[in-house]
């Protein structure tokens, strides 16, 4: 947490402080893994009237990343505290710092549904925080095909973002810096345990096994995109739309979305880098000429 506070001082960004209207409670928790139709589910839920927070949202609202990073550190700290000691006083302290609906609503208060990361990394906490929300375990029937999909996306994203953005430009852009912190702390470290391709299958299986154990059956639907509208609408108590089920976020579409959202940030960071380089060079030249 101390490191995050220092980062917030060096790379400041305004954090969201959204409020949930009393008549728009959190209604749907889409807790399936990435590349299991999460964007298609978002489109379907929005067609049914639920504003939905998806994994692309932080890229368009980098201030959200600061909040998500703080939330994941609180989650980890609470877990460490509860693991390291069994004393009653420490137990009460851990419970007191447990994440609540008020914590999540600061970033999710404008939405009635979630899908994809970062929300799935807080599945346990969200199931407890929103006891009336219905849970959708969107999945892919073929795990091998899913792994190929996630591996291909990793390769494309690495090629798109590149070492220059990850190591250099992030230092000149608070938005890019916090997006990188978000990816590292939540996706890479927490969800994928440090290696996406190597751990993909294990993480996938353990994620669903855990959720099927803790998610109340009466609140839960196991669903895949191929199932379409009918089981989803029946589960949510909504009429079936008179249109084809949406199929979104092909690898090509994902690249376009990321490029569209990241390029303006990268462009501004490049400009700051150039201005900083010119200023430092000019200042150094002046000092050299004055003191030699």
């Amino acid at each position: 947490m101390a490191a995050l506070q220092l980062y917030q001082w060096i790379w400041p960004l305004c954090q969201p402080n959204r409020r949930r209207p009393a008549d728009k409670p959190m209604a749907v928790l889409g807790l399936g893994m990435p590349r299991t139709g999460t964007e298609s589910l978002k489109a379907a839920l929005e067609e049914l009237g639920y504003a939905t927070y998806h994994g692309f949202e932080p890229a368009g609202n980098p201030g959200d990343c600061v909040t998500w990073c703080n939330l994941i550190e609180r989650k980890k700290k609470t877990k460490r505290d509860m693991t390291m000691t069994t004393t009653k006083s420490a137990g009460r302290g851990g419970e007191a710092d447990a994440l609540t609906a008020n914590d999540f609503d600061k970033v999710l208060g404008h939405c009635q549904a979630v899908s994809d990361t970062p929300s799935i990394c807080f599945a346990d906490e969200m199931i407890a925080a929103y006891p009336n929300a219905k849970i959708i375990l969107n999945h892919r029937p073929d795990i091998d095909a899913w792994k190929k999909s996630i591996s291909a996306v990793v390769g494309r994203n690495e090629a798109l973002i590149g070492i220059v953005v990850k190591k250099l430009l992030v230092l000149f852009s608070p938005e890019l810096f916090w997006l990188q912190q978000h990816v590292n702390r939540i996706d890479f470290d927490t969800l994928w345990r440090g290696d996406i391709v190597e751990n993909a299958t294990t993480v996938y299986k353990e994620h669903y096994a855990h959720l099927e154990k803790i998610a109340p059956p009466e609140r839960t639907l196991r669903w895949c995109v191929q199932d379409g509208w009918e089981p989803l609408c029946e589960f949510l108590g909504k009429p079936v739309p008179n249109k084809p089920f949406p199929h979104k976020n092909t690898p090509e579409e994902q690249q376009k979305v990321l490029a569209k959202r990241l390029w303006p940030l990268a462009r501004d960071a490049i400009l700051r880098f150039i201005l900083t380089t010119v200023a430092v060079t000019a200042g150094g030249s002046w000092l050299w000429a004055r003191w030699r």
Side-chain angles (χ1 to χ4, degrees):
M1 294 296 287
L4 282 178
Q5 292 173 355
L6 176 62
Y7 294 159
Q8 287 173 235
W9 181 74
I10 300 174
W11 293 279
L13 273 185
C14 291
Q15 296 186 56
N17 190 22
R18 299 171 183 132
R19 297 184 179 183
R20 179 171 301 284
D23 61 339
K24 293 186 180 297
M26 179 63 75
V28 184
L29 303 175
L31 299 179
M33 293 288 287
R35 305 305 301 167
T36 61
T38 59
E39 178 72 4
S40 297
L41 178 59
K42 167 185 164 68
L45 291 173
E46 293 189 333
E47 177 66 30
L48 297 176
Y50 303 104
T52 304
Y53 195 100
H54 179 265
F56 284 148
E57 300 302 318
N61 299 282
D64 290 10
C65 296
V66 185
T67 298
W68 285 118
C69 286
N70 285 321
L71 291 176
I72 203 68
E73 290 305 312
R74 277 185 57 188
K75 169 175 175 160
K76 291 178 180 178
K77 181 179 182 301
T78 299
K79 186 175 181 179
R80 286 195 302 267
D81 290 347
M82 296 179 69
T83 300
M84 292 174 62
T85 179
T86 57
T87 63
K88 292 183 179 180
S89 59
R92 285 196 298 269
E95 292 172 3
D97 201 40
L99 299 176
T100 67
N102 288 334
D103 296 312
F104 291 121
D105 282 349
K106 290 179 180 179
V107 67
L108 297 175
H110 61 312
C111 295
Q112 288 184 278
V114 299
S115 176
D116 202 62
T117 58
S119 300
I120 66 171
C121 295
F122 300 89
D124 295 56
E125 292 80 7
M126 287 193 178
I127 289 173
Y130 301 111
N132 296 318
K134 295 190 175 182
I135 302 161
I136 299 175
L137 301 184
N138 44 300
H139 66 100
R140 286 273 288 270
D142 187 336
I143 298 180
D144 291 334
W146 170 82
K147 183 177 179 180
K148 289 180 182 178
S149 176
I150 201 76
S151 299
V153 166
V154 170
R156 289 189 183 94
N157 288 350
E158 288 292 323
L160 173 67
I161 297 172
I163 194 70
V164 173
V165 173
K166 292 197 293 184
K167 298 296 184 181
L168 178 61
L169 295 186
V170 294
L171 302 177
F172 295 87
S173 168
E175 294 84 1
L176 287 177
F177 177 84
W178 284 106
L179 281 168
Q180 181 69 5
Q181 287 294 311
H182 180 278
V183 169
N184 286 346
R185 292 170 182 269
I186 295 176
D187 293 277
F188 191 69
D189 291 343
T190 302
L191 180 62
W192 302 112
R193 305 172 194 170
D195 192 318
I196 300 177
V197 176
E198 180 68 24
N199 297 330
T201 300
T202 299
V203 170
Y204 184 100
K205 292 179 178 178
E206 291 182 359
H207 177 78
Y208 288 100
H210 175 66
L211 289 183
E212 287 173 353
K213 184 183 299 183
I214 68 165
E218 69 278 6
R219 293 169 54 192
T220 305
L221 172 69
R222 186 174 175 86
W223 174 91
C224 64
V225 170
Q226 290 82 358
D227 295 335
W229 285 117
E230 283 74 13
L232 185 65
C233 292
E234 180 181 358
F235 179 64
L236 297 175
K238 297 285 187 176
V240 176
N242 186 24
K243 58 175 59 178
F245 191 86
H247 292 277
K248 301 286 187 179
N249 199 23
T250 64
E252 293 75 19
E253 288 175 335
Q254 186 190 58
Q255 294 294 294
K256 290 179 181 179
V257 171
L258 288 176
K260 181 178 179 180
R261 297 191 180 189
L262 293 180
W263 168 239
L265 302 179
R267 181 190 58 209
D268 292 345
I270 292 170
L271 178 59
R272 294 189 190 109
F273 169 72
I274 293 173
L275 293 176
T276 301
T277 301
V278 170
V280 170
T281 302
S285 299
W286 181 82
L287 288 174
W288 174 256
R290 181 180 177 85
W291 291 346
R292 68 178 178 175

